[in-house]
Amino acid sequence: MRPFTFQRATSAGEAAAAVAANPGAKFIGGGTNLLDLMKLGIEQPVHLVDVSRLPLAAIEDTPDGGLRIGAEVRNSDLAADIRVRSRYPALTQALLSGASAQIRNKASTAGNLLQRTRCYFFYDRNMPCNKRSPGSGCAALSGFNRMHAIFGASQSCIAVHPSDMAVAMTALDARIETVSASGDTRTIPIGDLHRLPGEMPDVETSLSHGEMITAVVLPPPPAGRQIYRKVRDRASYAFALVSVAVVVDVRQGRISSARVAMGGVAPKPWRTSGAEQVLSGGQVSDDVLERAAEAALAGAQGAGANDFKILLARRTLRATLSAATQTA
């Protein structure tokens, strides 16, 4: 047991300032990932700042027809909200495919976005891991890397980001609202929140130390059909081998717009602009859908045990696009 101090913040500004003032401090909300990592000795905070009781658990309509989701909204509450279910069905589908009901009841929106990888080698303190111990090496490069990245990896790290929710939010063009210790606020496109590993895989987001997520804003729901599909080893309580979130608007047999994001394939939710370009303006046809799936996987690179993911991802995306473009 490593001793640590605990503080219950009374405001977002107080919480941000408390963490910023201490290099060894961490926010704790739902705690579903952080507590596990503390028990294993991977995370060793010296001070925890509890933000779970801050007034950040509301889901509010925005003037333009979108939704503002507080950082402490529980995954189960977000999935069940009738506005999310009717206007952002891909988000509900993604949330319900993640973890277990018990964990969804505890996990927060911000915590879900900021959860750390489930790479086996990150969790095994006997193995080298640049994300856990910078400069030690990456055991996954030559080890059992079946769950690992086929996009966005580097020679320093090939771990993937585990969130389902973040993949759907990426396809929905969500924006992240934050507050810093100085009280300054900013809005970050979700595609800019997570960083690729490069040579510093331990730096996982664009947030500064002490900067706190206060909300996620969804723009007005996009036109078209939304689908989230997850392929995994078990029917429940398993992380994605490959997941796909699509939003496709079909009018008179032609695809007027398309958004495609993938999960389980990269260190961050992976937006596939190549597929979107092929789809947008194209006729609904097997040829267009197949070319879009191929474009999405252009540049994918396996590391051995995960080579199968390239074909699996292409087939999963192709099947999801087919379902999204079917007419009633």
Side-chain angles (χ1 to χ4, degrees):
M1 176 67 185
R2 292 179 178 270
F4 60 88
T5 53
F6 180 85
Q7 172 184 351
R8 180 162 288 152
T10 58
S11 70
E14 177 190 333
V19 172
N22 189 334
K26 293 276 186 180
F27 298 112
I28 185 166
T32 59
N33 188 208
L34 179 59
L35 291 179
D36 285 344
L37 295 175
M38 289 174 65
K39 291 173 184 176
L40 293 170
I42 296 167
E43 292 273 16
Q44 300 178 7
V46 298
H47 185 59
L48 290 180
V49 179
D50 181 12
V51 298
S52 64
R53 301 192 185 187
L54 296 181
L56 300 173
I59 304 173
E60 304 167 305
D61 290 291
T62 60
D64 63 356
L67 284 180
R68 186 176 187 274
I69 303 161
E72 284 300 313
V73 172
R74 301 305 173 182
N75 286 180
S76 54
D77 293 335
L78 184 58
D81 188 278
I82 188 60
R83 293 163 294 182
V84 177
R85 293 171 60 189
S86 60
R87 290 149 59 180
Y88 307 96
L91 179 54
T92 288
Q93 293 163 16
L95 286 161
L96 292 178
S97 73
S100 65
Q102 293 89 342
I103 290 177
R104 292 195 297 269
N105 285 340
K106 189 67 176 174
S108 66
T109 297
N112 187 304
L113 290 172
L114 298 178
Q115 65 184 297
R116 306 198 70 186
T117 185
R118 270 35 176 219
C119 171
Y120 330 112
F121 303 106
F122 173 71
Y123 271 73
D124 186 348
R125 295 180 62 196
N126 295 312
M127 302 299 292
C129 171
N130 289 318
K131 189 179 287 291
R132 185 185 68 248
S133 179
S136 63
C138 175
L141 284 170
S142 57
F144 184 59
N145 47 41
R146 180 173 178 269
M147 297 291 292
H148 290 69
I150 57 175
F151 291 112
S154 72
Q155 287 301 301
S156 295
C157 180
I158 58 171
V160 299
H161 193 271
S163 175
D164 292 290
M165 183 193 78
V167 179
M169 286 185 168
T170 296
L172 294 168
D173 285 336
R175 303 185 305 276
I176 313 301
E177 294 183 349
T178 71
V179 63
S180 67
S182 64
D184 293 335
T185 61
R186 65 168 174 155
T187 300
I188 308 168
I190 192 169
D192 295 336
L193 175 64
H194 301 100
R195 291 168 46 109
L196 294 179
E199 296 181 357
M200 295 188 298
D202 56 309
V203 182
E204 298 176 344
T205 74
S206 59
L207 302 177
S208 59
H209 182 66
E211 187 174 10
M212 177 182 162
I213 294 176
T214 54
V216 177
V217 178
L218 296 178
R225 182 175 295 177
Q226 302 177 25
I227 296 178
Y228 182 81
R229 179 170 293 189
K230 179 177 181 178
V231 179
R232 49 189 163 176
D233 288 324
R234 298 189 302 274
S236 67
Y237 199 48
F239 295 100
L241 292 170
V242 170
S243 65
V244 174
V246 302
V247 183
V248 183
D249 186 22
V250 177
R251 303 186 185 188
Q252 298 180 335
R254 185 175 292 275
I255 301 169
S256 61
S257 65
R259 304 181 191 177
V260 180
M262 303 185 77
V265 296
K268 60 186 290 185
W270 196 252
R271 188 75 177 260
T272 57
S273 59
E276 294 174 356
Q277 292 170 7
V278 172
L279 292 167
S280 297
Q283 292 285 346
V284 177
S285 66
D286 290 340
D287 176 65
V288 168
L289 301 187
E290 188 63 37
R291 286 194 292 111
E294 290 178 358
L297 274 297
Q301 184 175 353
N306 69 343
D307 292 350
F308 75 98
K309 276 194 178 188
I310 299 174
L311 180 58
L312 178 63
R314 190 172 77 229
R315 289 178 172 174
T316 302
L317 176 55
R318 174 67 176 80
T320 309
L321 291 173
S322 179
T325 54
Q326 287 179 357
T327 56

